[in-house]
Amino acid sequence: MNLETKKVKSPFKPDSKYMSDLAAQVQSKVGIEKKEVFRKDKSVKIPSKRNESLQLSVEFGFPLTTEKSKPESKVEDLIIEESKEEAVLKASVQEIIEVTKPVFEDFPHSGLVLRREDLPQIEEAKIEEAIEDIESEAGKDIVQETINELAAPIENEIVEEIEYDSIELDLLHEEMEKRQQSEVSTQEVYDTLANRSESSQPVEKNTQEKKSLSIPWASIFGAVASLVAVAAAWFVWTVIQKPMAIDDWADQNVVAANTPENPIVNSTKEEKNTSKEFQVPSLDTDVGLVYDLIVDDDLPIHKNIEFQELSEQGRISSVELEKEGLMVLELEDVIFDEIVLAP
Amino acid sequence: MSLPKRSESSNSMRNHAVSINFEKLDDAHLIQYFENSQYVEDVFRELLRRFQEPVYIYTRNMLSSHDDADDATQNTFIKVWKGLSSFRGESKLKTWIYRIASNECINLLRKKKKNIDFDEALPELSDYLLDSQYISSDDIEMKLQKAMCYLPYKQKLVFVLRYFEDLSYDDISELTQTSVGALKSSYHHAVKKLEIYLNVLR
């Protein structure tokens, strides 16, 4: 990490509240009036209530404001409003009633208003006049007729059957035939379309047959490629690296472990210790004596069987080693042939 | 940059009770109002506004402990208040205040540990980094702080003034009464040590 190229900041970041508190402490300690040193962030608050009007401009003393979205008027409010109107109307009607002269007068607010006292008399007189006029025109007692009509039971309406002339029947037949013909023609069109769709399928079959008759290059290439792959696998399997049976592999490893390697560098003590792990059955018995002498910490003890296997020089050497206290020959414990030492 | 002499302008301003916006004045011009008793409180507040946070961060960088940095900052500004009238403007205002703050840090460390050797590192200061007050959670920043605790204190001082506070070598030389060459060498060694330490910490 290169500090010169990459600027690392200080991790210490005191907040503004702590800073203002600290400034206040310092001011009090030095004995001056405490004042807010750090300006507080004046964040603009967005009004949460959208219903409030927002002044857009001030021109000629008339601020243009967005209209408040009025809350929906409740049922109670509406009832109150209606009752107010009613009260006003009643009051005005009452005033008018008090005035005696005109029967109908043009009231500025609610139009024509009748005087309540005179209303039944006027209605009765008008109705009687109207009935008399109608009866005189028709020559009937209308009142009685209307009473009879109302009293009579209501009969079900019967729809009259229509009677057609021969000409009309001919026209109907012609119309029927036309419709049948049009239906037949549409059916034919459907049939032809269906036949065409069926006829297109055999064509596709023919093209497929033609295709199948052509040489299948793809399958040939596939077969060739598979053959090549098999041949390559066989080549690898047999020639390049023939896999070894597990027994063969084990034998090979054992032989490799037992064959002594010519040391490039003089072997150290550690290497000798590690070589002890490998028991070397193929070593000559003479060499084995010396090997045991070197490797074993304790005195090597040899029995006669091993001794008999020694060469002449080996026997002489082993006797000399026993004399020097480097080896123990337990020859007297077992029966053995007489050993003939060279002079 | 030539600083204006306080004696030239202070007398002319003494008799005029005009409200001055000190925030718009630079350090060199703010010094002119130090002797004026009419404005000295406002000037001091302006110094607090400008330097309190940087001084706290500087002392915290040096001491690692929030409480110690708090004490050092308060003591620094008390001494600034006391020294306002004696400040001649011969050095930069920032350098003067940082020198007071540096001395306060040394005083605090001496109180804590007697026979302290500032040529040696004070690794015990890294324990204060566990104090999480006003510390960001940035990993590299914290590692650098920890690494700084293993620098010899004088190297740490030079490194902090140069790296974090962006003081020039001349200013640091004036502040520490050390030659620029020695400071450069010290800073270079400090950076190399810190880079090695940071790479090991990774």
Side-chain angles (χ1 to χ4, degrees):
Chain A
M1 184 181 179
N2 194 343
L3 285 171
E4 297 288 352
T5 54
K6 188 185 178 183
K7 186 82 174 177
V8 181
K9 291 179 182 175
S10 176
F12 307 116
K13 292 172 180 65
D15 59 14
S16 57
K17 188 181 177 300
Y18 167 67
M19 280 291 115
S20 57
D21 289 347
L22 189 62
Q25 281 182 10
V26 170
Q27 286 177 75
S28 66
K29 280 188 178 178
V30 299
I32 61 172
E33 187 188 351
K34 283 183 193 175
K35 282 185 181 176
E36 182 57 48
V37 175
F38 300 97
R39 283 181 179 177
K40 288 179 180 176
D41 294 334
K42 292 177 180 176
S43 57
V44 179
K45 287 184 179 178
I46 298 165
S48 59
K49 290 181 180 178
R50 292 180 182 177
N51 292 340
E52 288 178 7
S53 61
L54 182 69
Q55 187 165 338
L56 300 174
S57 66
V58 182
E59 290 183 12
F60 308 111
F62 296 101
L64 295 173
T65 56
T66 54
E67 287 184 4
K68 284 184 181 179
S69 61
K70 290 179 181 175
E72 290 180 1
S73 55
K74 295 175 184 176
V75 178
E76 293 83 359
D77 300 338
L78 290 172
I79 289 164
I80 289 162
E81 284 173 6
E82 282 178 6
S83 63
K84 282 177 183 175
E85 284 179 1
E86 274 184 353
V88 170
L89 197 63
K90 281 176 183 176
S92 58
V93 166
Q94 193 63 33
E95 284 177 5
I96 293 157
I97 287 164
E98 287 172 1
V99 178
T100 52
K101 280 184 182 178
V103 176
F104 298 100
E105 67 181 22
D106 197 7
F107 193 69
H109 298 290
S110 59
L112 290 172
V113 176
L114 291 171
R115 285 180 65 180
R116 194 175 285 177
E117 307 162 343
D118 302 330
L119 195 62
Q121 295 172 7
I122 292 162
E123 282 177 351
E124 283 175 8
K126 274 196 167 184
I127 290 163
E128 283 173 2
E129 282 176 7
I131 290 165
E132 283 173 3
D133 290 342
I134 292 163
E135 280 177 350
S136 62
E137 284 177 6
K140 292 177 183 176
D141 190 355
I142 293 168
V143 178
Q144 191 60 41
E145 279 187 3
T146 49
I147 290 163
N148 292 336
E149 281 177 5
L150 288 168
I154 299 165
E155 293 175 359
N156 290 330
E157 287 186 4
I158 299 163
V159 179
E160 291 181 359
E161 289 183 355
I162 302 163
E163 291 181 0
Y164 293 103
D165 297 334
S166 59
I167 302 163
E168 287 175 342
L169 283 170
D170 293 340
L171 287 169
L172 281 170
H173 279 293
E174 284 177 5
E175 187 65 24
M176 290 285 285
E177 283 173 0
K178 280 179 184 177
R179 284 185 181 181
Q180 282 176 355
Q181 282 176 0
S182 65
E183 283 175 2
V184 169
S185 62
T186 50
Q187 188 63 37
E188 283 175 356
V189 169
Y190 283 128
D191 291 341
T192 49
L193 286 170
N195 290 331
R196 280 182 188 177
S197 62
E198 284 175 0
S199 61
S200 63
Q201 286 176 354
V203 172
E204 286 176 1
K205 283 178 184 175
N206 291 332
T207 51
Q208 283 178 357
E209 284 172 1
K210 284 178 183 176
K211 281 179 184 174
S212 62
L213 288 171
S214 62
I215 301 164
W217 288 110
S219 57
I220 290 167
F221 281 128
V224 170
S226 60
L227 284 171
V228 169
V230 168
W234 178 80
F235 182 73
V236 169
W237 188 260
T238 56
V239 180
I240 293 175
Q241 191 174 7
K242 190 176 180 179
M244 200 179 287
I246 293 168
D247 295 336
D248 296 340
W249 179 81
D251 291 342
Q252 193 176 350
N253 278 352
V254 168
V255 169
N258 291 336
T259 48
E261 294 176 358
N262 294 325
I264 298 166
V265 184
N266 289 332
S267 60
T268 59
K269 193 177 180 182
E270 289 179 0
E271 284 173 345
K272 283 170 187 171
N273 288 335
T274 52
S275 65
K276 193 183 175 183
E277 293 173 5
F278 299 99
Q279 295 299 325
V280 191
S282 64
L283 282 176
D284 291 339
T285 316
D286 296 356
V287 182
L289 285 174
V290 183
Y291 179 82
D292 292 340
L293 184 64
I294 295 164
V295 170
D296 290 342
D297 294 329
D298 302 327
L299 275 177
I301 300 166
H302 296 279
K303 306 262 171 95
N304 65 320
I305 297 166
E306 296 168 353
F307 196 78
Q308 285 175 349
E309 288 172 5
L310 295 174
S311 62
E312 185 66 25
Q313 187 61 39
R315 289 174 186 175
I316 293 163
S317 304
S318 61
V319 169
E320 288 297 317
L321 285 169
E322 191 182 32
K323 281 180 183 175
E324 293 298 323
L326 297 170
M327 188 185 288
V328 177
L329 295 170
E330 293 181 348
L331 304 178
E332 54 273 271
D333 293 339
V334 291
I335 300 164
F336 59 91
D337 296 335
E338 191 177 349
I339 298 166
V340 179
L341 291 171
Chain B
M1 183 184 170
S2 62
L3 298 169
K5 297 291 179 186
R6 299 173 67 197
S7 55
E8 291 172 6
S9 54
S10 58
N11 291 330
S12 60
M13 288 184 292
R14 193 164 290 170
N15 298 322
H16 300 290
V18 185
S19 63
I20 299 164
N21 189 357
F22 292 106
E23 290 182 22
K24 290 183 178 178
L25 295 176
D26 59 10
D27 290 353
H29 288 91
L30 192 68
I31 293 166
Q32 297 171 12
Y33 295 89
F34 278 10
E35 276 188 355
N36 194 326
S37 60
Q38 193 177 353
Y39 298 116
V40 70
E41 289 186 9
D42 291 331
V43 167
F44 182 69
R45 287 191 194 97
E46 178 57 23
L47 290 180
L48 281 174
R49 194 187 67 78
R50 288 186 194 186
F51 295 108
Q52 187 183 260
E53 189 173 344
V55 165
Y56 170 81
I57 293 170
Y58 168 62
T59 52
R60 187 87 191 264
N61 277 324
M62 293 308 297
L63 302 167
S64 301
S65 161
H66 164 70
D67 293 335
D68 291 345
D70 184 280
D71 289 344
T73 308
Q74 287 192 38
N75 293 340
T76 300
F77 281 97
I78 289 165
K79 287 190 176 176
V80 166
W81 171 255
K82 286 177 181 170
L84 275 180
S85 57
S86 60
F87 183 69
R88 296 291 162 203
E90 290 166 356
S91 63
K92 285 182 187 173
L93 186 59
K94 187 178 180 181
T95 313
W96 177 59
I97 292 172
Y98 271 73
R99 181 166 182 167
I100 296 170
S102 303
N103 287 333
E104 280 306 311
C105 292
I106 290 168
N107 289 340
L108 272 169
L109 289 171
R110 276 189 179 137
K111 280 180 190 173
K112 281 191 164 185
K113 189 178 178 182
K114 289 178 181 177
N115 302 323
I116 192 168
D117 186 1
F118 292 104
D119 287 324
E120 290 183 359
L122 304 169
E124 63 269 20
L125 292 178
S126 64
D127 296 340
Y128 295 113
L129 292 172
L130 300 172
D131 177 11
S132 61
Q133 266 188 308
Y134 312 121
I135 290 184
S136 74
S137 57
D138 189 280
D139 195 33
I140 296 172
E141 291 175 3
M142 288 306 295
K143 278 179 182 172
L144 179 60
Q145 285 294 322
K146 194 174 180 183
M148 279 160 53
C149 293
Y150 292 90
L151 287 177
Y153 188 82
K154 284 180 181 175
Q155 275 186 15
K156 184 181 175 181
L157 179 77
V158 175
F159 177 79
V160 170
L161 288 170
R162 177 73 183 150
Y163 192 79
F164 288 121
E165 306 301 330
D166 282 328
L167 261 68
S168 67
Y169 282 116
D170 290 331
D171 290 341
I172 301 169
S173 170
E174 191 181 312
L175 195 153
T176 56
Q177 302 292 315
T178 316
S179 69
V180 172
L183 288 175
K184 284 182 179 175
S185 172
S186 184
Y187 179 74
H188 178 74
H189 285 301
V191 168
K192 289 296 162 200
K193 280 181 192 174
L194 289 173
E195 284 175 355
I196 291 166
Y197 194 88
L198 287 173
N199 288 328
V200 170
L201 277 180
R202 277 187 176 184

